[in-house]
Amino acid sequence: LYLDIDLLVRCSLRELWDTDLTGSLAGVVESPSREKFGSKKFYNLPAAHKSIGIKSGTCFNSGVMLMNLDLLRAENIWVEYMEAFEEFGDRIQFADQDILNHVYSNRVKYVGFKWNVGLHGYLCWPLYDEYDDVEVIAGCKSPGIAHFFGPRK
């Protein structure tokens, strides 16, 4: 289980830990749809992500990742990280998160929204593809993990 340093864990992680990741590289929480959330404040993310091979609507926040280490090792995924960095290094806006989104692409399992709730949950709750309004509102009211991402903490 990878956790960024700017998190507050608010409950037991057992439910997240027990997630079945068969066939998936990681369990992650979706980021808001970049095309729906196309504000200058948040860069020109749709174009930036397209330029490094990330499809719209397939982004996740890398601050909380339940990683399938057996599969990652079996596929020697490290090589893909390095290849992606060499190819896209000058176009990356969010360092490891962009590389992970490119490499993992459609090989992730989306876990419950409550496992990585940041400010975007409150600002962007109608902008998700993987979560309905009920799940987003419940996660915002009682996050399992609160994430204080961004430049201001």
Side-chain angles (χ1 to χ4, degrees):
L1 177 61
Y2 172 81
L3 300 173
D4 267 358
I5 195 166
D6 57 351
L7 302 172
L8 176 63
V9 176
R10 301 188 64 245
C11 65
S12 168
L13 298 176
R14 174 59 56 192
E15 178 187 341
L16 176 60
W17 183 259
D18 289 341
T19 301
D20 179 10
L21 292 179
T22 302
S24 298
L25 295 172
V28 297
V29 173
E30 177 191 13
S31 286
S33 172
R34 302 303 190 197
E35 290 186 351
K36 295 177 187 173
F37 196 46
S39 158
K40 286 183 182 179
K41 187 175 176 182
F42 291 91
Y43 314 98
N44 186 0
L45 291 176
H49 282 164
K50 186 177 181 181
S51 78
I52 61 172
I54 298 173
K55 297 175 188 164
S56 174
T58 63
C59 295
F60 60 87
N61 180 282
S62 64
V64 175
M65 294 188 301
L66 181 62
M67 302 175 84
N68 185 342
L69 296 179
D70 290 336
L71 186 57
L72 290 166
R73 289 180 185 123
E75 294 193 11
N76 199 20
I77 212 77
W78 175 254
V79 173
E80 291 184 51
Y81 298 151
M82 299 310 293
E83 289 171 351
F85 182 74
E86 286 178 26
E87 183 175 352
F88 304 119
D90 61 333
R91 290 175 271 167
I92 292 171
Q93 291 188 18
F94 294 103
D96 61 315
Q97 184 164 293
D98 284 352
I99 294 291
L100 291 165
N101 272 278
H102 172 79
V103 172
Y104 290 14
S105 190
N106 294 320
R107 300 164 57 193
V108 296
K109 177 175 187 168
Y110 289 102
V111 298
F113 180 77
K114 73 179 184 178
W115 296 118
N116 192 351
V117 179
L119 181 59
H120 62 73
Y122 299 93
L123 294 176
C124 312
W125 63 268
L127 305 180
Y128 297 93
D129 295 322
E130 294 295 324
Y131 308 110
D132 63 25
D133 293 353
V134 173
E135 183 171 359
V136 173
I137 292 168
C140 288
K141 286 182 178 179
S142 184
I145 299 175
H147 191 172
F148 301 95
F149 58 80
R152 298 177 80 185
K153 306 292 181 197

